[in-house]
Amino acid sequence: MEKNDKLKQYQSLAIQLRQVVPSIQQLYHDQFAFLSTLNVQNVLSVDVKQQRIQILNHCFHIQFYAPAEQAELCVPQFIYQGHYAEALEEFCLHDIVFLVGDQSPQHSLYLRNKVKQLRQLILQQVFVLFDGPSRVQTILTEIRQTQSELFQQLCQQVEFNTDDSTSERSLLAELQRLCCLDADQAEDILPLQSLMNSYDELCCSANQFLEPHVYRIIQTAFPERFSLQELMDHTHDIHLLYPHAKEQSHMLGFVRLMHRDLWTSHDLLSKRHFLKAETKLWQKKVAKLPIFDESRTVNWLFKQKAVVTDWVSQNIQHSSIRVAVTALSYLDTQSYHPEIIVTTLKYFQHVAARLFIQSCYEHALQQHWFELEANQHVVLKNRRQDMDDQRIAISPSILYLDEWLELLRRVVEQQPEWGKRVYTKLSRVMQAYIQHLDKIAQKLPEDLVVYFSEDKQQHRDFYLQLKQHKLHIESFRQLFYLNRPPLRVSVFDAYVRDYLPEHFETQKEVLKNVTWKSLFHQAVQWHDQLHSQELLAELKRKLGCVSWQPISHEAYYFIESWVLEELKDMDRIIAESRRFQHCLAASFAERIIVREYAAFHMSHTDAQRHLTLGCHYIAGQLLFDQLEYPNNQKALPDDVVVAEQFIAMLNQTQ
């Protein structure tokens, strides 16, 4: 309340000053006149042709240059009419964040706060542009001499004390505040919401004002976002990397993994560096060197778009990625969209190593790799080993992935064909996956293929693209599901991937024409079997058995047009749960075995209507509990009546 009163007093005094003091009125007029030249389009704008950011309708600007033009890449110019807008420059260089990889919408509260800050800086600068501070000094003298009443009000505002030297400064500061335009007065000219949109657009405009090769360098240096100050601090590095960006822009992501003092080397991104263990070139944080063992893999990588190579370079420290990339290099991927290739690598990074070791172990036993002269560093665990044998004992475990990779490398040096043999199974299942994704891509406009990855669907333009192509979000996502009623699994889920080790274990080979859908159907059977085994094992552990005496004596019971059948063994209960997608097996199996509960399958003879009936079993009598269609859909009242008739009939026979 007190705060509101002070605000009203402040506003009242400001109005009086404008009405009574002509010089203040003129100062207000000058500020308004300049402010009226501004709008949300010219407060912050990008001149693509001149490669500069224009600020306050060309009063200030930030100029950008290519490394070939001059040493400085970013030159801010914040002097206008002899006044240096330092605070505004600081804001533009440090506070405006330009988005690169992270293209998700910025939070409205964040934007609002930034724009409020910017608008206040603009108002402060407009005041300075018209020499506000010195003019207010003169105005204060004028008011003191001619407007005693107003002067007294001013003194009351700051609790003026003639004996205190700081009071004079406070008085001057208060008058400056009263003579400066405030946010409310600027709202009509620079509305906050429109300014937020303009600011947000600027944050996404880095590729418009930066030279393309410079922008590519920034992409690798700051994968998510950067400020102009960070760009300026990075100037020397940009100069060093510019020749490489021009020659091999798509491979630039790997430079982050190389020692900076070698960036001047003209063959920095030569293929041979990826095939040799050059510790002087690669940083320690890089994966076990060499980066790749086969020239085929390196050749494949150098043919990929930046989207693919950037992702590989960001994750290459994980040996499983090296495996996935190598397996994919045995396929012809030229016709696939780079986003599909990245999606495939992302999916298989979680299982590639395990599948590779399975194949490697299988071939190692068949071809006696451990006895080869080329193998001098590893031996199979649990095999007889002499005391002075310094070789590492390994097992077919992911913990020894690097050792298996090294073993294969030594074998391939003598017999090159073994590399392809080991990777054949993995390559073929990856081919099945990438072909499945490509079929989905064929159903979509090319603009939407970039949103294959679920994380990309958070992009600010995703929904705009959907709207332009008149495609609903649910229709888009439906394309990525594998269906086998009642099961519905996303192609990105681990459902099929979890089955692949079992597939590799049981199948001597993976067929060339294997499809992801066929693997999915096999995965369904495997998951069902696994679930049944786990449930049975748990029940046996708890109860000691999984059989019981059924309550009914007949195989089937007929009431009107309905057929009812008791679920008398665990296999039937599990199948019912799976078919109906309910918790009968998980939640009621134990009670059924100890004869506290009974379950029945209820079906109509004329229509495709199937339900599950659950009953309590107390003191030799059945009591109705629940009757449901698949997916826990409640039964109709008429269905319940039939079920209760059946229960009454069965109870009479007990």
Side-chain angles (χ1 to χ4, degrees):
M1 190 72 178
E2 186 179 343
K3 188 177 179 182
N4 289 335
D5 290 342
K6 285 186 176 181
L7 182 62
K8 287 178 181 178
Q9 289 175 14
Y10 170 82
Q11 292 172 339
S12 175
L13 185 56
I15 293 168
Q16 285 186 65
L17 286 167
R18 289 201 299 272
Q19 292 174 343
V20 177
V21 184
S23 49
I24 291 180
Q25 195 175 37
Q26 185 60 45
L27 180 55
Y28 261 93
H29 178 269
D30 293 343
Q31 293 177 84
F32 264 117
F34 179 83
L35 201 63
S36 63
T37 65
L38 304 179
N39 53 55
V40 291
Q41 283 76 38
N42 64 27
V43 167
L44 295 170
S45 63
V46 175
D47 189 327
V48 178
K49 191 174 181 180
Q50 294 192 45
Q51 286 190 291
R52 63 168 56 177
I53 298 174
Q54 304 282 11
I55 301 144
L56 293 196
N57 196 17
H58 299 74
C59 289
F60 314 109
H61 69 263
I62 303 170
Q63 184 68 53
F64 299 91
Y65 299 95
E69 296 172 342
Q70 68 169 56
E72 294 182 15
L73 304 176
C74 176
V75 181
Q77 206 296 97
F78 280 82
I79 296 176
Y80 181 73
Q81 294 182 355
H83 297 285
Y84 173 39
E86 183 179 6
L88 195 59
E89 181 181 15
E90 285 288 309
F91 180 87
C92 291
L93 296 184
H94 294 90
D95 286 26
I96 300 178
V97 176
F98 295 91
L99 305 180
V100 183
D102 183 6
Q103 292 289 313
S104 55
Q106 300 187 90
H107 198 283
S108 58
L109 189 60
Y110 167 82
L111 287 174
R112 181 173 290 273
N113 290 336
K114 285 295 180 185
V115 167
K116 277 184 176 180
Q117 188 183 349
L118 172 63
R119 192 168 67 177
Q120 189 58 40
L121 288 172
I122 291 171
L123 295 176
Q124 290 171 8
Q125 195 56 45
V126 170
F127 184 69
V128 172
L129 286 179
F130 291 96
D131 210 18
S134 60
R135 288 169 70 176
V136 166
Q137 184 103 35
T138 305
I139 291 168
L140 182 60
T141 304
E142 179 187 341
I143 294 173
R144 180 179 272 158
Q145 293 174 354
T146 62
Q147 303 288 338
S148 60
E149 188 178 338
L150 283 176
F151 181 72
Q152 288 300 321
Q153 289 186 46
L154 268 175
C155 291
Q156 288 174 8
Q157 286 279 112
V158 298
E159 297 179 356
F160 184 71
N161 183 358
T162 54
D163 298 327
D164 186 359
S165 59
T166 60
S167 284
E168 188 72 29
R169 292 195 295 272
S170 298
L171 193 64
L172 184 63
E174 181 66 15
L175 185 59
Q176 286 182 356
R177 192 163 74 96
L178 289 163
C179 292
C180 185
L181 299 179
D182 58 34
D184 289 339
Q185 293 164 320
E187 179 64 24
D188 291 338
I189 299 171
L190 299 175
L192 207 59
Q193 188 58 53
S194 299
L195 204 55
M196 284 166 61
N197 296 335
S198 180
Y199 183 92
D200 193 37
E201 286 179 15
L202 180 70
C203 292
C204 301
S205 66
N207 61 339
Q208 298 177 34
F209 57 76
L210 289 177
E211 192 267 349
H213 295 112
V214 174
Y215 182 71
R216 174 65 184 137
I217 296 169
I218 290 297
Q219 273 186 311
T220 59
F222 305 99
E224 299 301 330
R225 50 187 64 201
F226 72 99
S227 69
L228 294 182
Q229 186 59 56
E230 288 173 320
L231 170 67
M232 294 167 73
D233 294 341
H234 209 65
T235 296
H236 185 57
D237 287 356
I238 293 173
H239 277 278
L240 291 175
L241 295 174
Y242 191 69
H244 305 299
K246 290 178 72 175
E247 292 173 8
Q248 291 180 301
S249 174
H250 67 301
M251 295 299 295
L252 209 60
F254 285 94
V255 173
R256 299 179 306 104
L257 309 176
M258 299 174 173
H259 291 296
R260 188 174 179 276
D261 54 357
L262 296 176
W263 286 4
T264 54
S265 174
H266 70 279
D267 65 342
L268 184 68
L269 291 171
S270 172
K271 290 182 181 180
R272 62 183 176 85
H273 295 320
F274 291 78
L275 294 164
K276 293 183 178 180
E278 296 178 330
T279 53
K280 291 183 179 180
L281 176 67
W282 298 101
Q283 298 176 21
K284 288 184 178 180
K285 65 180 179 180
V286 182
K288 190 175 176 69
L289 297 177
I291 301 293
F292 294 108
D293 295 323
E294 299 184 34
S295 56
R296 148 192 304 278
T297 309
V298 177
N299 290 334
W300 178 88
L301 187 67
F302 271 67
K303 293 177 183 176
Q304 304 309 307
K305 302 291 186 187
V307 175
V308 178
T309 57
D310 280 357
W311 187 86
V312 174
S313 70
Q314 290 162 11
N315 296 277
I316 197 63
Q317 70 271 21
H318 304 295
S319 294
S320 58
I321 302 300
R322 298 164 66 199
V323 171
V325 172
T326 302
L328 204 56
S329 71
Y330 281 93
L331 306 176
D332 182 5
T333 59
Q334 290 184 356
S335 63
Y336 300 119
H337 193 285
E339 207 55 59
I340 292 178
I341 296 174
V342 171
T343 303
T344 303
L345 289 171
K346 284 181 180 178
Y347 186 84
F348 279 91
Q349 69 175 314
H350 304 291
V351 75
R354 185 178 174 186
L355 299 179
F356 163 77
I357 290 173
Q358 279 185 254
S359 292
C360 224
Y361 178 67
E362 180 186 335
H363 285 96
L365 294 180
Q366 290 175 358
Q367 303 298 320
H368 309 289
W369 288 1
F370 293 98
E371 285 75 48
L372 294 176
E373 188 178 344
N375 172 40
Q376 299 294 323
H377 76 298
V378 294
V379 66
L380 197 60
K381 263 188 181 181
N382 301 322
R383 295 290 178 92
R384 185 175 177 180
Q385 192 174 1
D386 296 333
M387 292 292 291
D388 59 347
D389 191 345
Q390 299 300 310
R391 291 181 296 174
I392 302 168
I394 66 172
S395 67
S397 163
I398 196 169
L399 297 173
Y400 299 101
L401 174 58
D402 287 334
E403 285 77 12
W404 282 106
L405 284 167
E406 177 65 16
L407 177 60
L408 179 63
R409 187 182 69 80
R410 292 173 184 258
V411 170
V412 169
E413 283 177 354
Q414 294 190 335
Q415 301 186 33
E417 71 275 8
W418 279 109
K420 184 177 182 179
R421 292 184 188 180
V422 167
Y423 279 104
T424 294
K425 282 186 176 180
L426 179 55
S427 291
R428 286 179 179 175
V429 294
M430 291 181 79
Q431 178 176 265
Y433 187 77
I434 204 170
Q435 285 176 343
H436 186 84
L437 294 182
D438 190 56
K439 287 179 181 176
I440 297 171
Q442 303 305 319
K443 301 174 184 177
L444 290 170
E446 190 173 352
D447 294 344
L448 286 170
V449 179
V450 297
Y451 303 109
F452 254 51
S453 299
E454 291 176 305
D455 56 332
K456 291 287 182 72
Q457 291 168 25
Q458 306 303 315
H459 195 289
R460 62 184 56 241
D461 292 334
F462 174 54
Y463 284 93
L464 181 63
Q465 290 287 351
L466 286 176
K467 189 175 180 180
Q468 286 180 351
H469 293 287
K470 299 179 180 177
L471 188 63
H472 194 271
I473 180 65
E474 289 304 319
S475 301
F476 176 84
R477 289 176 175 164
Q478 184 61 40
L479 296 171
F480 298 93
Y481 281 97
L482 298 159
N483 295 300
R484 182 174 173 179
L487 192 63
R488 185 169 177 263
V489 177
S490 170
V491 73
F492 306 119
D493 290 344
Y495 190 85
V496 180
R497 186 173 65 210
D498 290 343
Y499 160 68
L500 290 179
E502 174 70 15
H503 187 71
F504 274 37
E505 191 74 34
T506 56
Q507 303 294 321
K508 288 186 177 181
E509 63 175 339
V510 175
L511 300 176
K512 285 184 179 180
N513 60 348
V514 67
T515 66
W516 198 249
K517 279 189 176 180
S518 68
L519 288 171
F520 166 65
H521 290 303
Q522 294 174 50
V524 172
Q525 295 177 355
W526 178 76
H527 277 282
D528 288 347
Q529 186 180 1
L530 196 65
H531 174 69
S532 300
Q533 290 171 351
E534 289 175 350
L535 182 62
L536 288 170
E538 179 65 15
L539 290 170
K540 281 182 179 179
R541 186 186 66 80
K542 284 185 177 180
L543 304 174
C545 67
V546 290
S547 60
W548 65 95
Q549 186 67 34
I551 292 167
S552 64
H553 304 294
E554 303 293 332
Y556 300 98
Y557 293 87
F558 300 89
I559 296 181
E560 298 178 4
S561 299
W562 290 91
V563 181
L564 290 102
E565 171 196 5
E566 186 178 359
L567 305 176
K568 298 179 180 180
D569 59 63
M570 192 50 59
D571 288 339
R572 285 285 288 111
I573 287 174
I574 293 171
E576 185 87 355
S577 283
R578 191 178 297 133
R579 179 183 176 187
F580 278 63
Q581 290 292 288
H582 55 44
C583 63
L584 179 66
S587 301
F588 293 91
E590 188 175 340
R591 292 180 62 191
I592 291 172
I593 292 172
V594 297
R595 300 191 82 202
E596 292 178 358
Y597 203 85
F600 302 84
H601 180 82
M602 181 172 167
S603 59
H604 198 276
T605 56
D606 299 331
Q608 292 297 315
R609 293 166 64 188
H610 297 269
L611 304 96
T612 302
L613 169 64
C615 301
H616 300 291
Y617 190 59
I618 303 171
Q621 293 289 290
L622 292 169
L623 297 174
F624 178 86
D625 179 36
Q626 55 188 330
L627 181 65
E628 293 183 346
Y629 285 97
N631 301 307
N632 300 114
Q633 183 183 343
K634 295 297 180 184
L636 300 172
D638 289 348
D639 302 337
V640 175
V641 170
V642 174
E644 288 177 338
Q645 288 176 0
F646 164 72
I647 293 169
M649 180 188 74
L650 206 58
N651 283 335
Q652 287 180 356
T653 64
Q654 298 297 309

